[in-house]
Amino acid sequence: MQDLLWLIPALPLLGFLVLFATEGRLPDKMVGVIGAGSVGLAALVALVVGLDFHQSGQPSYAQNLWTWMAVGGFAPAVTLYLDDLSLVMTGVITGVGFLIHVFATGYMWQDLDEPSSRDAAPKARKEGYSRFFAYMNLFVFAMLMLVLGDNLLTLFLGWEGVGLCSYLLIGFYHRDAANGYAARKAFVVTRVGDTLMALGLFLLFREIGTLEIQSALAKAGELDAGMATAIGLLLLGGAVGKSAQVPLQTWLPDAMAGPTPVSALIHAATMVTAGVYLIARMKGIYALSETAQLAVAVVGLATLFISSFTALAQTDIKRILAYSTMSQIGYMFMALGVGAWSAAIFHLMTHAFFKALLFLASGSVILALHHEQDIFKMGGLWRKLPVPFYSMLIGSGALVALPWVTSGFFSKDAILLTAYGHGEYGWLFWLGGVAAATMTALYTTRMMVVAFFGETKIEPHDRSRINMWGPLAVLSALSVFGGYLGIGILDDLLGAVDHIPHSHPAAIATMLLPLLGILVGVFVFSGRLDIRALVDSSLGDALRRFWHSGWAFDWVYDHAFVKPFVWAARVNKADAVDFVYRAVAAVTRGFYHIGALTQTGRLRWYAANMTIGLILMFLIVLEML
Amino acid sequence: MAIAVPIEYVLGVAMLLFLLGLLGVLVRRNVMFLLMSLEVMMNAAGLAFIAAGARWGVPDGQIMFMFILALAAAEVAVALGLVLQISRRFGTLDIDAANELSG
Amino acid sequence: MNADLLLFWIPAAVAVVSTFLVVTRKNASHALVYLVVSLLSVAVIFFVLGAPFAAALEVVIYAGAIVVLFLFVVMMLNLGRSSVLRESRWLQPGMWIGPGILVVVLFLSMVYVLAGSVHETKGVMVGPDAVGRSLFGPYLLAVELAGFLLLAALVGAYHLGRRYLEERRETPAGSGDD
């Protein structure tokens, strides 16, 4: 059964090709069936293949499809490679992806029906529905190639493919220029990381002579320490760009311009975790370099710290979730940095469950409120929108890692406790992580309390049917029980996490501090504890605005890169490089004018010139000239 | 009947005829004379071929002459049609009037 | 000098003189008659060189068919006395200088090449029999190509000539020249 592996990426690709070729001429129902069905079938195949793989007991399974190209000694093959890591990733991508696709069949249907929708014209609506699923299927295909490729070249192909789909889907409502700007920003910022990653790949190829992951890792021992550090840092650059970590995180909040299922699938569950996958995949390189591994941990810590404070000051529900995504991925990076590889992947999986749940539930809320995303304009929704509310509640519980009852607890706990025991300064990482976890509890409570309790401000219209609340229910269940799933299966697959016991004081603190955050949050945001004076003080206001702007990263980048670039472009409007080409053209034109003088159109003049030429040839032949 | 002639003499005569034709092409402005001069030049080339064939006593020279003949016939047919068009369009046979291809 | 060579020199002299007259005549009909003389004398040279079939073709096709074509066109264009006057206007004596120099230089260089060596021809007759065997043997492909060329010329000449005639019919007053 394992040889069905190629079907997993092939099915979404087929779905994409069908939807792409028919250009929205298919009935909407069939579009939904093809779009979600192709991913669903892929999930089914993944399940079958995964079980078979698990039973076979082999460490890995490779399926060679064809040789991409053969140039000299360089012959990268397109080979699908299945091991524990890629199996977990494939399961998340196809499984969570399928649920999100099913949700999207309902969400996009209603969304494109909205009078306020920018694609309201019937034809555009139909076309938009089909286009959406075509892009989504293409994304799933690219993401699967990313995780299943046994070659860094295939991985890079998928890497750029998901970047492209991200760009296309952020700018899905392309009639609004702001969305196009957000899409461009995401594309350009991740491009910075991708360039670093490409450089890392070049360096790796030059040093080791292969891009095949397994043989590259086997030969990695030949690298000297400096080179391993350089490659590790360059690959980290790529991961940072894709996973929206500091300092390349600024694109993710703007990426929320896309439809909410896109945010759930691409910008929470799968694509943004590609960086985590990359580093986990290349852990052999990082094992060689203390510096690179430390850098991973520091990046993760900085991101989770910065973004959890930023989330506290946001008012847009999707932006809050975007910043929380950044901080959760920060945990994963920190886990990678402290050597808790399997904990990172564990958290990746549970995060995919609960963050997809949170995004989809918030999507239901947004849809019911006719595209109102400001939590301060919501309120009192918990009675009116029970399914989204309970989904959000479960997702939030997992996000703040409520002890023992949510999946997020197990994975986050594993990360923090491993960090605590890691080396001399491990407790610093632990401290930062726990502080950020407390902040996470605070802003999540704020979001829940403000949006779902208090007085009703907008009357919601919930039109969701089973294709929308069904995925929510499944994801809720996964968010609760996914932790046991992880303990049971993941340890088996990826190796148990070795961390300090739960009876340790630090472990108890890790458990209790988020609860404190929730307590404070409930008191503060339900108005029972008045801190208005503190917030409105000049320092508080400045801090709030600083956090709201995402620690002013956008401002800094705008002044450091965008403005100087625009200035340079304006100064160089005439393009100094073009001058050379224009000069070439001018010289050519000059010769043309000279040559045109001989074209008199007079036949006898031509004949005379031919005669002169004949004479000259004679003289040359006779060696008189 | 055939006699042995030094080939240089024949080639000299062919050259002379060719150059007279060239002179006509260069000097005459009337298209009719131009075409006649061209015929003279081709005929001279044919003479050179015949001479070369006679030098070795093989038929190839005559065959080349026949191809020149076919070429001349084809050329004259098209060229005379063009002469009619030129006289129709420009109202004159002056080849210098038909200089619309000037750069 | 061998007396036999007179058989070559006499037609050669006639050919050169008559060709010179072709180039210098002002009346097209006169020039055509001199062209016929030139072609006929070249035919004699062919015969002397031992190419009787080529000589016959020269007479039949060149002096016959091609020159007759020229004559038809001269008649159609109605080149009369006025065209002779115009020719003398066009043919200023000064116009001969430049082309004359070029031609003389070419002639001198050719003489330089040919001077000094003597290679006699075989002096044998190569009759139509040998020519035909060769033509439809090794040169068959070239014959086919020549056939294509003639067909193309036929179509081209028909195309050009028909438009001329149609336009003339529509505007009977226009003679096309003068």
Side-chain angles (χ1 to χ4, degrees):
Chain A
M1 295 302 271
Q2 290 183 42
D3 45 6
L4 291 180
L5 185 60
W6 63 274
L7 267 180
I8 300 175
L11 283 166
L13 179 66
L14 187 69
F16 162 70
L17 289 176
V18 169
L19 295 176
F20 177 72
T22 52
E23 291 180 310
R25 279 190 288 264
L26 292 177
D28 283 359
K29 285 231 163 75
M30 198 190 278
V31 168
V33 168
I34 291 173
S38 63
V39 183
L41 279 177
L44 212 62
V45 175
L47 186 69
V48 171
V49 169
L51 285 176
D52 197 46
F53 174 75
H54 196 54
Q55 277 169 4
S56 73
Q58 292 162 339
S60 67
Y61 170 72
Q63 185 176 31
N64 193 351
L65 299 182
W66 69 85
T67 300
W68 189 343
M69 55 176 132
V71 184
F74 180 61
V78 177
T79 301
L80 300 182
Y81 180 83
L82 191 69
D83 64 356
D84 302 332
L85 180 58
S86 49
L87 181 61
V88 171
M89 290 299 289
T90 306
V92 168
I93 293 162
T94 54
V96 177
F98 171 62
L99 293 172
I100 293 172
H101 272 76
V102 171
F103 181 86
T105 56
Y107 180 89
M108 291 312 288
W109 187 286
Q110 286 184 38
D111 189 46
L112 292 167
D113 260 346
E114 285 275 318
S116 64
S117 173
R118 286 157 289 260
D119 291 324
K123 196 176 165 213
R125 191 197 91 81
K126 208 166 157 196
E127 182 269 338
Y129 196 68
S130 170
R131 186 161 55 93
F132 177 83
F133 282 102
Y135 290 165
M136 290 287 268
N137 277 358
L138 180 64
F139 168 79
V140 172
F141 162 72
M143 191 69 202
L144 286 167
M145 287 312 285
L146 197 164
V147 299
L148 286 174
D150 87 318
N151 193 304
L152 281 169
L153 223 51
T154 322
L155 187 148
F156 196 61
L157 180 77
W159 190 271
E160 294 297 333
V162 293
L164 168 72
C165 293
S166 166
Y167 166 78
L168 290 171
L169 285 164
I170 294 170
F172 181 73
Y173 300 120
H174 53 82
R175 288 170 207 213
D176 190 342
N179 296 334
Y181 178 79
R184 274 206 305 283
K185 182 174 174 186
F187 202 69
V188 171
V189 173
T190 50
R191 198 68 36 229
V192 176
D194 291 354
T195 308
L196 293 176
M197 179 176 166
L199 290 177
L201 295 186
F202 297 154
L203 205 56
L204 188 68
F205 185 71
R206 200 191 70 179
E207 293 299 317
I208 295 185
T210 179
L211 285 176
E212 209 180 312
I213 293 169
Q214 298 310 318
S215 53
L217 290 179
K219 282 196 215 163
E222 297 170 10
L223 292 172
D224 61 80
M227 199 51 77
T229 307
I231 292 170
L233 289 177
L234 285 170
L235 292 181
L236 173 65
V240 158
K242 196 59 104 192
S243 294
Q245 299 294 290
V246 172
L248 295 177
Q249 84 283 30
T250 56
W251 64 271
L252 188 61
D254 289 321
M256 296 299 128
T260 307
V262 171
S263 311
L265 179 63
I266 299 184
H267 304 120
T270 54
M271 184 189 87
V272 288
T273 57
V276 179
Y277 169 79
L278 176 71
I279 293 175
R281 181 52 94 195
M282 303 304 290
K283 67 182 176 189
I285 301 279
Y286 290 91
L288 294 173
S289 167
E290 290 269 322
T291 321
Q293 201 171 357
L294 187 68
V296 175
V298 168
V299 162
L301 183 65
T303 308
L304 73 91
F305 211 73
I306 288 176
S307 53
S308 52
F309 277 95
T310 309
L312 194 60
Q314 300 300 317
T315 56
D316 183 322
I317 189 167
K318 284 183 75 177
R319 286 177 87 91
I320 295 173
L321 291 174
Y323 279 108
S324 86
T325 303
M326 279 156 57
S327 82
Q328 296 306 307
I329 296 170
Y331 277 113
M332 297 176 211
F333 270 66
M334 197 172 88
L336 295 170
V338 300
W341 310 105
S342 56
I345 298 303
F346 185 18
H347 194 56
L348 189 160
M349 189 184 86
T350 55
H351 173 253
F353 295 153
F354 67 72
K355 192 51 65 65
L357 174 64
L358 281 169
F359 264 116
L360 295 187
S362 75
S364 294
V365 172
I366 291 166
L367 205 56
L369 297 179
H370 304 292
H371 286 272
E372 183 51 65
Q373 301 191 3
D374 189 341
I375 53 170
F376 285 99
K377 294 188 179 153
M378 301 175 182
L381 296 175
W382 73 281
R383 271 182 201 287
K384 309 232 161 83
L385 296 172
V387 174
F389 168 68
Y390 287 110
S391 304
M392 283 291 268
L393 197 62
I394 293 167
S396 299
L399 178 62
V400 302
L402 287 181
W404 304 115
V405 294
T406 60
S407 63
F409 166 73
F410 293 100
S411 51
K412 204 184 272 187
D413 210 41
I415 291 172
L416 288 173
L417 297 187
T418 315
Y420 186 84
H422 178 76
E424 209 174 331
Y425 300 106
W427 64 273
L428 272 175
F429 290 113
W430 172 82
L431 195 63
V434 169
T438 315
M439 288 306 292
T440 304
L442 200 59
Y443 71 72
T444 310
T445 314
R446 168 176 177 263
M447 176 181 79
M448 291 303 292
V449 168
V450 171
F452 288 94
F453 294 94
E455 62 193 81
T456 307
K457 288 163 191 146
I458 301 176
E459 200 57 39
H461 294 92
D462 190 9
R463 291 179 293 158
S464 57
R465 287 197 306 230
I466 186 163
N467 59 357
M468 289 177 72
W469 56 259
L472 291 180
V474 176
L475 283 170
S476 298
L478 285 172
S479 296
V480 174
F481 302 111
Y484 298 102
L485 197 74
I487 301 291
I489 298 176
L490 270 178
D491 285 0
D492 196 23
L493 287 179
L494 297 165
V497 181
D498 181 27
H499 56 69
I500 56 172
H502 281 111
S503 54
H504 194 278
I508 294 169
T510 310
M511 244 183 273
L512 293 183
L513 275 173
L515 296 179
L516 182 70
I518 294 173
L519 214 60
V520 172
V522 167
F523 274 106
V524 168
F525 296 111
S526 62
R528 254 165 264 177
L529 184 71
D530 199 3
I531 55 159
R532 196 159 297 280
L534 194 63
V535 173
D536 287 346
S537 68
S538 65
L539 180 67
D541 190 52
L543 207 55
R544 193 181 56 77
R545 280 195 285 132
F546 179 59
W547 287 347
H548 183 74
S549 69
W551 294 45
F553 270 98
D554 272 331
W555 185 87
V556 169
Y557 288 165
D558 199 39
H559 282 76
F561 301 115
V562 179
K563 288 236 167 78
F565 186 78
V566 170
W567 176 82
R570 192 175 302 129
V571 168
N572 195 18
K573 213 175 208 164
D575 198 348
V577 178
D578 253 9
F579 176 77
V580 176
Y581 301 112
R582 277 202 295 271
V584 170
V587 169
T588 313
R589 194 174 296 126
F591 277 118
Y592 153 72
H593 283 302
I594 293 170
L597 291 179
T598 66
Q599 298 295 308
T600 57
R602 285 158 59 199
L603 196 72
R604 297 184 306 141
W605 159 257
Y606 297 155
N609 278 315
M610 282 166 70
T611 311
I612 292 170
L614 199 61
I615 291 171
L616 288 177
M617 276 163 65
F618 251 114
L619 294 180
I620 289 168
V621 170
L622 296 177
E623 293 175 348
M624 295 170 81
L625 210 67
Chain B
M1 192 56 220
I3 58 170
V5 183
I7 190 171
E8 284 77 14
Y9 296 175
V10 191
L11 289 180
V13 170
M15 186 70 190
L16 214 51
L17 293 176
F18 182 86
L19 290 175
L20 282 170
L22 180 63
L23 191 66
V25 170
L26 291 179
V27 172
R28 304 307 296 250
R29 285 168 71 177
N30 190 320
V31 192
M32 290 300 295
F33 288 94
L34 215 115
L35 287 177
M36 283 183 228
S37 304
L38 272 181
E39 291 304 317
V40 168
M41 286 167 79
M42 274 197 275
N43 196 38
L47 179 57
F49 270 118
I50 295 284
R55 171 72 180 83
W56 312 107
V58 289
D60 302 59
Q62 296 190 48
I63 287 166
M64 284 304 148
F65 172 73
M66 286 166 67
F67 290 139
I68 286 179
L69 208 61
L71 179 71
E75 181 253 5
V76 154
V78 176
L80 288 176
L82 283 172
V83 167
L84 294 179
Q85 289 294 333
I86 287 172
S87 94
R88 171 89 203 137
R89 197 156 295 182
F90 299 103
T92 171
L93 286 179
D94 187 358
I95 192 68
D96 286 356
N99 63 351
E100 286 182 359
L101 276 179
S102 67
Chain C
M1 188 157 118
N2 193 333
D4 276 354
L5 278 184
L6 281 177
L7 279 175
F8 166 73
W9 281 122
I10 291 168
V14 173
V16 170
V17 170
S18 58
T19 305
F20 182 75
L21 290 171
V22 169
V23 175
T24 52
R25 286 311 82 186
K26 294 189 174 72
N27 188 317
S29 313
H30 296 178
L32 274 173
V33 174
Y34 282 120
L35 182 59
V36 171
V37 174
S38 164
L39 295 171
L40 288 177
S41 41
V42 170
V44 172
I45 297 176
F46 286 177
F47 195 76
V48 169
L49 288 175
F53 187 55
L57 285 180
E58 175 95 357
V59 174
V60 172
I61 295 178
Y62 249 126
I66 293 178
V67 171
V68 167
L69 258 184
F70 270 97
L71 266 177
F72 280 154
V73 173
V74 167
M75 278 151 54
M76 274 169 85
L77 291 177
N78 200 12
L79 300 173
R81 188 173 299 280
S82 60
S83 75
V84 175
L85 287 175
R86 192 194 51 208
E87 282 297 325
S88 43
R89 207 167 54 244
W90 280 352
L91 278 180
Q92 304 293 329
M95 291 187 62
W96 294 91
I97 298 170
I101 292 170
L102 288 178
V103 165
V104 167
V105 169
L106 259 183
F107 184 68
L108 290 178
S109 49
M110 186 75 195
V111 167
Y112 176 82
V113 173
L114 291 175
S117 63
V118 173
H119 300 91
E120 294 221 320
T121 57
K122 282 267 192 278
V124 294
M125 277 288 176
V126 179
D129 177 40
V131 173
R133 282 178 194 286
S134 200
L135 192 60
F136 291 101
Y139 288 99
L140 188 61
L141 188 66
V143 173
E144 297 283 349
L145 291 175
F148 275 120
L149 178 70
L150 287 170
L151 179 64
L154 177 71
V155 174
Y158 172 73
H159 182 70
L160 289 167
R162 190 192 55 168
R163 295 224 326 245
Y164 172 77
L165 289 177
E166 278 173 2
E167 281 166 20
R168 258 179 89 96
R169 211 171 295 133
E170 283 160 18
T171 54
S175 66
D177 196 1
D178 298 302

